[in-house]
Structure formats: C-alpha cells, structure tokens
Amino acid sequence: MSTGVQNLPRVRASELVGRGWLNTGGRTVTLSELRGKVVVLDFWTFCCINCLHVLDELREIEEQHRDELVIVGVHSPKFEHEADADALAAAVERYDVRHPVLDDPELVTWGAYTARAWPTLVVIDPEGYIVAQMAGEGHGSAIAALVTDLISEHAAKGTLHRGSGPYVPPAPASGTLRFPAKALALPGGTLLVADAGHHSLAELAPDGETLVRRIGSGERGLVDGAPGDARFSEPNGLCLVPDELRAPLGYDVLVADTVNHALRGVRLADGVVTTVAGTGEQFMVGGQENVRGRDGEPARAYEPGTAVAPLDLRLSSPWDVAWSAVRGAFVVAMAGNHTLWEVDLLQGSAALLAGTMNEGLEDGPGEGAWFAQTSGVVPSVDADGRPDGHLWIADSETSSLRRVVLSDGAGDAPSATVRTAVGQGLFDFGHRDGAADQALLQHPLGVATLPDGSVVVADTYNGALRRYDPATTEVTTLAKDLAEPSDVLVEVADDAVHLVVVESAAHRLTRVALPASLAGEVLDGGAHRVARPATDVGAGPLRLDVPFVPAPGQKLDDRWGPSTSLQVSATPPELLLAGAGSGTDLFRDLVINPEVTEGVLHVTAKAASCDEVPLLPNGEPDPDVFPACHLAQQDWGVPVRVVPDGDAGLTLPLRG
C-alpha cells in the first residue's frame, strides 16, 4: 500500500499580508523579524469546529516552546460575518487565542500558501523555509515532534534565536458574563447560564442581570466537586433532568462541557459537579481508541450501533443536550463529529443516534444522514404546544434548521429520520425570508419552540432571531441587530410571549417581546456563497494525491487494518466519470467529465500513526511499552473549474 507521499521542495515562506493584526499591540508582524524562530501558521476561521480543536491541540506546544516558537493565526473567513473585524476580535478573545493573528479577509495569504482547507498548518523553519504543510486536525503530536527537532537542529547550527515573540496579550475583560453560550430557566424562576468565557455556570436572578451564585472556579479544566473547586472548559448546552430521574441520578442539570469533551451533572441544592459521560479526550473519527478498555482490556474503536458505558466513550465537542421521552435518553448534539448521540445515564449506555460523521447536508434515516456541526437541539411541540416526541436541530455549518423524527425503535422504523426544513448546504448562506425552500440562515447556534409549534432560530452570524412556521413553511425575522445570539429561551406569562436572548458577543441576556400573532417581518438581505478561488482542472484524467508523512518518532499504524483511507465524491455527482468512492491508498486516478464546467470535489482522508516502540538490547520491541495512537483527518471541499488548459493533478497535503 502506498501513502502517496511526496517531499515538498525547499521553498521560501511568503510574506504575511492582510488587513491588520490582533494580539500584537497594533504592530505589523513580518516574517523577517521572526527569522530565528520556528513559525507555525494556523489558517483558521472561527466558525469551524476543527479549527477550534486545533487551537486546543496547539496550546500546550505553544506554552512549552514560547521562547523558540511563534504561532501565527491566519484568519481566513468562510462566512460573511467572519470577515467583520470586530467579530474576529471578539472570537480571538472568546477562544483565548494567545498568539498573533493576521486578519486576512480577502484570502491573500491563504492563496499565497495554496491553502484549501480549514484548518491548514504550515511549519516554517528558523531560516524562513517551509518544511511541512498539514490539513485538518490530529497533528498535535506531529507538530510537537517537528518543533522539537527543528529547535535542536537550528540550535546546533546557530540559526535559532531564543526570546519573547511578538504576542501582546489584550487587556483583561470584566463583567458578570463573558461570551455566554446557552441559558436555562430553573424551576425556582432563576436563570442558569453557561458562561463559556468564564469556564463556569452563572445563576442569575429573574431579571437576567443579578448574579445569584457561580458554579465553577473560573479556571479552565476538568475537575469535579464543590462549586468553588469544580472546573469547566467553555461549557455550552444545558438541560434539566426530568423530575423522576433527579433522585436516582443525583443531579438536576446536565451540561455539555464542550472543550472538555464531557457531560457534567450539577446538583442545584449545593452546586456539586460530577462528570457523567466522556473520558475528557476527543473522539477521533476512525480512531482505534475511542472506547476506554475495562479490566485490563485495551481501548477499542467505536462501532456504530453499539452501546457503551458513557464514562468509557470519548466525546467530541458536545454543544447542546436535550431530553427525549421517546428515546428515554438525553440527545447530545455532538458538533465535533457532526452527529447526534443518545445517552441513557440511568442504565449507563451511550450510542450513536444519527449521523455518519461525514460533514454535509443529507437527509433520510439517521444512520445515513449527514450533519455539519450540530449546535442546538430542542424537543418540538405541536400546534397546541404539546410535546410531539421529535426534535429540532440547529446545524450551524450548513446554516440549516433540521427536524429529527424519532421512534421508540419498535418494528422496522428507523430510530431517527432527518429532514431539512431550512438550508441549502455547506456553502450557501444569507439572510432571506419567505418560502422555506428559498430561505437562508447564517451559522445558527440555537433553537427554541413557540407555543403554536413554530420554531425560533438564534441565527447567530446574521445577528437575528428567525421564525419558521411548519404550518405555512414560511420563514420570517422576529428581531435583528443582535450581537451573535447563540441561544433563546421562551417565556410565556399572561398570554404574552417574551424571548430571552443570549447575546454572546455583547456578554448579556436580552429580552425581546413578541406580538400576539408571533409573526415577524419578511426581509431579504441577499444570498451568499462561500468565496474561495476555484482550482482549474482539465477534462479527463486527474491524479489526486494526498501526501502524508508520519511525524518524527512515529510510523504508520496498521495494527487494526489499513492505516490510511481516502473517500472521494463530487457535487454535482456527474462531475466525476470515474474515481468516486472509498479506498485505502492516499492517491486516486479520477476522470473529470468534460460536459460539466464547474463543481466541488469532496475529499476525506485519514491516516493513523503510532509512536515507535523502543528496542531492548536484544533488538526486540519493549513489551512493556504500548505505542500511543495518533489519527490525522481532514475533509476538503475543493471548488474546481473545468478548462481546456487545466491541471492534470491535484495535491492536498494531509501532512507533507
């Protein structure tokens, strides 16, 4: 089996060009002033969950080598909202980015480095040459090993300069809330807020402003215990535990603790926090250690359809959670691997409910449905306000509202069936009301239901609240000019309906009154598509190569089967006359249809590597050392244009 590895030529790194800089005290940073440092360019966009995973992968490396290493974030926006300078500044603060960030809204530097995916990492040596390019997540160990080798090499050559870099920390922020994510109405009338920027939960008085108490120390971490000792890491979704389960479970609220890849239980009487699902490590799609072993058994891969103990399962950025009476379980919007999971905490089981872990917009039975960063989940109600047993989903990266019809599993009916109510796909977004099949959202994160069965969507990047009416299949706008609304609560009192909006970028809760009709206005702010330069390809044969080189001290890991995989498809499907499908080689001979002038190639690549085991004096591997596994993975959506003189080859480095 070939990995399709190609050695990159020795190329000077291109200058960093953009609109401006953040985290530098207002200074412009040039590559020449970084000479003598190892530099890692992190091409990211703040909507992308994979990019957020990479930020976390880099934190420890950054702190360990702050005298020799400079990480530069190159922000290359996908959505229109992300091109706003103020929104980017808020995101850099929200996600605790501790390195310089280049604002590249026109994708100038993105193009100079031929980046084709979010995230892309480029490693530059102290002499200013590119030594590696990587796409996707799961490269933390490779970056760490490569940085260590470069430091050693250039220290010996005398070309390494130690000392502080250009990072200038921003002024500390103050306030009761900092980038709140989700909110929950508690039985006593107070509001519980996932205060993501403070890594804690804030209980507020009914006015939505007065702090009653805080649960969590405010320090990032995964620690159980009393409210002053417990630690969270960017918590998001909140769900009340059903009354009948609170005593046997021992907690009242379930929290999606996103960056900890865990679910936490909170007992309201004393604020004690307990981890109830997740190991604290990230689920890696295709990984061989997603389920922790018990009683001396090794960890193993997760098999779809299999129920495992919740504390033995790795989660991946759980973003929201809701109770399903039909399934008798909590349904978790698992943003990190584009799925829905069901967790029965009483019986002690967790299983995949819907989603293939591929990123996209595909409806149908749950086992074949595609999501993209499932970010909000709420039980649906009928026209009389009664729960109907199903769910509404805010699917952020497809800018869509999805309905999930649930069954109890009896008979031949699938456990879940997915239908899209509003949304066109990964690359289409905007602010357009009217008929649902033409309406557009922009990266929504939250969803709630109104008493008449209609749905309110926290349309985050449009700064709006949108209403979808299943009876008329019409979309309207209820409120606009909000600061990144990420969640919404519905309050009904004396026949009046108010919405409590979590304005995340304004660090507050805001109340919005609705008219008696619950109707909104019809707006048309236009339609948009993700703007990325198309790659010119020729009709006929096209060689696709996905280079992958294991990190220093690692080798390809084929202990559980083929170490690499490649999946290729196209939009429209007719773009490919040959080459679609799955295989184990990281190269593929495609055939482009001359009758199709443009489209998108969808490429998913994975490569498993493991640490090399040290040898004993007799030359045998040390049996007491179990090699750690590492999985690199990336999904590309490459826009292509079919032209007479187009390229006959396409290279997408996974790690090269």
Side-chain angles (χ1 to χ4, degrees), residues 414-463:
S415 299
T417 302
V418 183
R419 302 166 184 166
T420 298
V422 183
Q424 307 295 325
L426 279 168
F427 305 108
D428 296 276
F429 62 94
H431 189 151
R432 175 169 287 170
D433 291 324
D437 60 356
Q438 299 297 314
L440 294 169
L441 310 169
Q442 186 179 182
H443 199 75
L445 292 178
V447 64
T449 53
L450 290 168
D452 64 350
S454 62
V455 186
V456 179
V457 179
D459 192 9
T460 308
Y461 284 3
N462 279 326

Side-chain angles (χ1 to χ4, degrees), residues 482-524:
L482 299 167
E484 293 190 9
S486 59
D487 197 20
V488 58
L489 301 179
V490 178
E491 294 182 336
V492 181
D494 300 326
D495 295 326
V497 177
H498 287 80
L499 303 180
V500 179
V501 185
V502 180
E503 278 196 275
S504 189
H507 317 293
R508 68 190 179 202
L509 305 186
T510 302
R511 276 187 167 82
V512 175
L514 292 186
S517 65
L518 304 182
E521 58 181 326
V522 176
L523 300 177
D524 189 348

Side-chain angles (χ1 to χ4, degrees), residues 8 48 56 58 72 167 173 307 322 325 338 349 367 382 451 466 507 516 541 614 648:
L8 292 177
C48 167
D56 290 314
L58 295 176
V72 175
Y167 170 64
H338 320 298
S349 67
E367 62 185 14
D382 62 21
R466 312 287 292 283
H507 317 293

Side-chain angles (χ1 to χ4, degrees), residues 273-288:
V273 178
T274 306
T275 300
V276 298
T279 67
E281 297 174 289
Q282 182 191 342
F283 186 111
M284 296 298 288
V285 180
Q288 298 298 329

Side-chain angles (χ1 to χ4, degrees), residues 255-274:
V255 181
D257 194 8
T258 303
V259 179
N260 276 328
H261 309 297
L263 300 181
R264 319 288 295 281
V266 177
R267 190 166 61 212
L268 292 176
D270 54 11
V272 168
V273 178
T274 306

Side-chain angles (χ1 to χ4, degrees), residues 140-164:
S141 64
I143 292 286
L146 187 54
V147 167
T148 299
D149 280 6
L150 287 171
I151 290 171
S152 177
E153 174 189 344
H154 287 272
K157 290 173 63 175
T159 50
L160 182 74
H161 300 159
R162 290 184 167 88
S164 60

Side-chain angles (χ1 to χ4, degrees), residues 4 35 170 186 234 241 302 338 343 364 374 437 448 453 478 508 636:
R35 198 65 53 82
L186 296 179
E234 298 179 30
V241 174
Y302 177 79
H338 320 298
V343 181
T374 44
D437 60 356
L478 297 174
R508 68 190 179 202
W636 289 269

